[in-house]
Amino acid sequence: MEKLIERIVSILKLPIRFVFIIGVIMGLLLFFPENVVQKLQLTDFKSEYGKYIGPLFLISVVYLTVMISIFLWNKVRVFIATKEFNKSIVGILNSLALPDVYLLREFFLQGKDVIEVPYESTEFTSLYNKRILVIASNNVRANIFGKFVSVTINPMVKKYITHDVLRLPKGNPTQLDVDEIKKNRPAYLSSLNYVDSLMKNIGRFGI
């Protein structure tokens, strides 16, 4: 009995595809007609290990059933969570505070999929907690103005970001629109541009 338990435990540690193969083989040995077993020259094997074949087959079937059930349940959970998220994200985007909107605009104003933002800024924290922004790289750049992290828009959210969400004109912007957009760009940009310009000058002169 102890040897049987040891074998069962060792089998359950195998990758699921091997458990499936074992289950199929045990099932064939159990349900094949005797003349087929004889032709395959498996009679001696079945006689010697017959007491293990049934239990191993049942355990394999139960194990595979449990694993498939867990897999399907996880798929269902992800599907439901994604559906609920998609339902709620439109309302979240339309109710963003203006500073959050101004930060979100930067992806489109800069024409980039990834931008740098202050790691400890209220706007980044708000958008990150709402799962609108995700961190694109674990590298944090630090300078005299603080820490900056590279972020991107959550792919699940991007398709819901419209001109209305960003408070941008749908047609050609007027001069008034342009002035409003420039005035409300995040304050950290001047600091970041200053550092970038400084680093370029240092590289140019080989300092």
Side-chain angles (χ1 to χ4, degrees):
M1 187 65 181
E2 290 181 3
K3 288 183 178 180
L4 178 60
I5 293 173
E6 287 177 5
R7 291 187 182 185
I8 291 169
V9 171
S10 63
I11 287 172
L12 295 181
K13 289 180 180 179
L14 294 171
I16 192 166
R17 61 180 179 275
F18 291 121
V19 177
F20 173 77
I21 291 169
I22 290 170
V24 170
I25 292 171
M26 296 301 105
L28 292 176
L29 288 172
L30 277 175
F31 301 113
F32 262 172
E34 197 62 36
N35 62 328
V36 175
V37 174
Q38 290 175 357
K39 286 181 180 178
L40 293 173
Q41 297 183 351
L42 293 172
T43 305
D44 293 341
F45 177 86
K46 189 174 181 180
S47 299
E48 186 174 351
Y49 298 102
K51 61 182 178 180
Y52 300 116
I53 293 173
L56 286 175
F57 173 73
L58 289 175
I59 289 165
S60 298
V61 169
V62 171
Y63 176 76
L64 290 170
T65 302
V66 170
M67 295 303 294
I68 291 170
S69 299
I70 292 172
F71 173 79
L72 293 175
W73 173 242
N74 287 335
K75 286 288 185 182
V76 170
R77 286 177 59 198
V78 170
F79 175 78
I80 293 172
T82 302
K83 193 173 180 180
E84 290 298 319
F85 178 75
N86 289 339
K87 278 184 181 178
S88 63
I89 195 61
V90 175
I92 292 171
L93 288 171
N94 288 326
S95 62
L96 288 175
L98 284 176
D100 295 354
V101 173
Y102 299 150
L103 177 57
L104 205 54
R105 276 182 183 176
E106 286 304 309
F107 289 95
F108 300 90
L109 297 178
Q110 296 182 35
K112 296 178 180 178
D113 291 325
V114 178
I115 64 172
E116 283 188 295
V117 300
Y119 185 68
E120 297 176 349
S121 70
T122 304
E123 294 81 10
F124 163 66
T125 302
S126 173
L127 293 170
Y128 180 77
N129 288 340
K130 291 180 175 74
R131 294 193 290 171
I132 295 171
L133 294 185
V134 293
I135 295 174
S137 171
N138 290 327
N139 295 325
V140 177
R141 185 163 69 137
N143 56 48
I144 57 174
F145 298 107
K147 296 179 179 178
F148 291 80
V149 65
S150 297
V151 298
T152 188
I153 298 173
N154 186 337
M156 292 174 61
V157 175
K158 198 168 187 177
K159 61 184 176 182
Y160 296 106
I161 296 178
T162 63
H163 284 78
D164 290 334
V165 169
L166 299 174
R167 318 290 204 274
L168 290 173
K170 293 181 180 178
N172 293 326
T174 64
Q175 187 58 47
L176 191 64
D177 292 329
V178 173
D179 292 341
E180 186 273 334
I181 290 168
K182 286 182 178 179
K183 183 180 71 174
N184 291 308
R185 295 191 74 179
Y188 78 86
L189 288 174
S190 58
S191 303
L192 199 58
N193 290 335
Y194 171 79
V195 172
D196 288 341
S197 177
L198 184 63
M199 295 304 294
K200 285 179 182 178
N201 288 331
I202 289 174
R204 184 185 305 167
F205 293 106
I207 300 175

